C-alpha cells in the first residue's frame, strides 16, 4: 500500500531535487565507514566463510533452514543469510533451500522479478502480495537465486533492501 502511494512521487521528488541542486557525479560515500574502519565497501565474496560452509553442509544433511538453525543454535534468518551466499556462489539451489515446490517458487520469483523491474528489490511488497504465506527467509533465498541467475549486477541480498 505504501509502495503504491509513493511509487510515483518519490522519483519525481528526486528529479526535482536534482534539477534544483544538480546530481552528484560520484556516490556520496564517507572516506571511511566508521563502523568497519574500511576505506571502501567490501568486495563481493568469492568463497564461503567457514561458518557459511558449516551451514551449507548441515543443510545438505538436514534439509531445512529451521533444522540447521536449531542444530547450530542460530536464528533461521542467520542461516538464510549463510545459504544466500552459497546460492550466489552457485553452491546451493534457491528452490531447494526455500523448501517450496517448483510451482510456488515460480510464482514468488515472478513477483520478485516484477518488483525488481520497477526498481524495488525489497521483500516487503512480495511478502504482502502473498499475504504472509511465505517467510522472509524463503523470499530472501529465492531473491538470491533470482538476482544471481537473471541480474548479477543488481543490488546484493542485504537487509537494507528489505
Amino acid at each position: 500500500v505504501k509502495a503504491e502511494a509513493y511509487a510515483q512521487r518519490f522519483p519525481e521528488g528526486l528529479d526535482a531535487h536534482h534539477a534544483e541542486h544538480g546530481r552528484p557525479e560520484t556516490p556520496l560515500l564517507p572516506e571511511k565507514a566508521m563502523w568497519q574502519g574500511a576505506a571502501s565497501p567490501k568486495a563481493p565474496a568469492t568463497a564461503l566463510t567457514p561458518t557459511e560452509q558449516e551451514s551449507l553442509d548441515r543443510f545438505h544433511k538436514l534439509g531445512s533452514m529451521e533444522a540447521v538453525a536449531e542444530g547450530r543454535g542460530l536464528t533461521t534468518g542467520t542461516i538464510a543469510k549463510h545459504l544466500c551466499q552459497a546460492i550466489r556462489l552457485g553452491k546451493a539451489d534457491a528452490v531447494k533451500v526455500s523448501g517450496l515446490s517448483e510451482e510456488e517458487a515460480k510464482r514468488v520469483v515472478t513477483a520478485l522479478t516484477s518488483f525488481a523491474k520497477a526498481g524495488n528489490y525489497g521483500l516487503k511488497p512480495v511478502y504482502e502480495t502473498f499475504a504472509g504465506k511465505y517467510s522472509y527467509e524463503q523470499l530472501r533465498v529465492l531473491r538470491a537465486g533470482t538476482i544471481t541467475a537473471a541480474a548479477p549486477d543488481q543490488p546484493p541480498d542485504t537487509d537494507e533492501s528489505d
Side-chain angles (χ1 to χ4, degrees):
V1 175
K2 189 185 283 187
E4 293 171 7
Y6 294 103
Q8 276 301 94
R9 296 192 319 196
F10 184 73
E12 291 169 358
L14 283 176
D15 290 341
H17 177 80
H18 290 144
E20 183 178 339
H21 302 285
R23 187 179 299 268
E25 291 181 28
T26 58
L28 302 175
L29 295 175
E31 288 284 323
K32 286 189 174 186
M34 294 186 308
W35 60 92
Q36 292 177 328
S40 63
K42 285 192 329 185
T46 57
L48 295 176
T49 66
T51 193
E52 291 166 342
Q53 185 65 51
E54 176 69 18
S55 293
L56 179 61
D57 292 344
R58 288 188 186 212
F59 177 80
H60 287 308
K61 290 177 189 167
L62 301 172
S64 77
M65 290 185 280
E66 294 79 10
V68 174
E70 185 177 324
R72 294 202 65 198
L74 299 171
T75 67
T76 305
T78 297
I79 299 304
K81 287 181 185 182
H82 294 170
L83 296 176
C84 283
Q85 184 62 11
I87 291 164
R88 283 191 293 276
L89 294 175
K91 296 178 183 249
D93 178 77
V95 175
K96 185 174 181 181
V97 172
S98 76
L100 301 179
S101 70
E102 287 285 335
E103 185 178 312
E104 287 178 301
K106 283 180 185 178
R107 284 196 300 265
V108 171
V109 167
T110 298
L112 286 164
T113 304
S114 294
F115 281 107
K117 285 180 181 176
N120 186 344
Y121 297 92
L123 296 176
K124 187 173 183 179
V126 179
Y127 182 84
E128 291 174 346
T129 295
F130 293 102
K133 180 177 180 180
Y134 307 112
S135 72
Y136 276 100
E137 289 79 15
Q138 289 172 311
L139 300 177
R140 187 172 284 121
V141 298
L142 289 171
R143 179 177 63 184
T146 302
I147 291 172
T148 302
D153 60 334
Q154 295 304 324
D157 183 56
T158 64
D159 288 334
E160 291 80 28
S161 61
D162 294 346

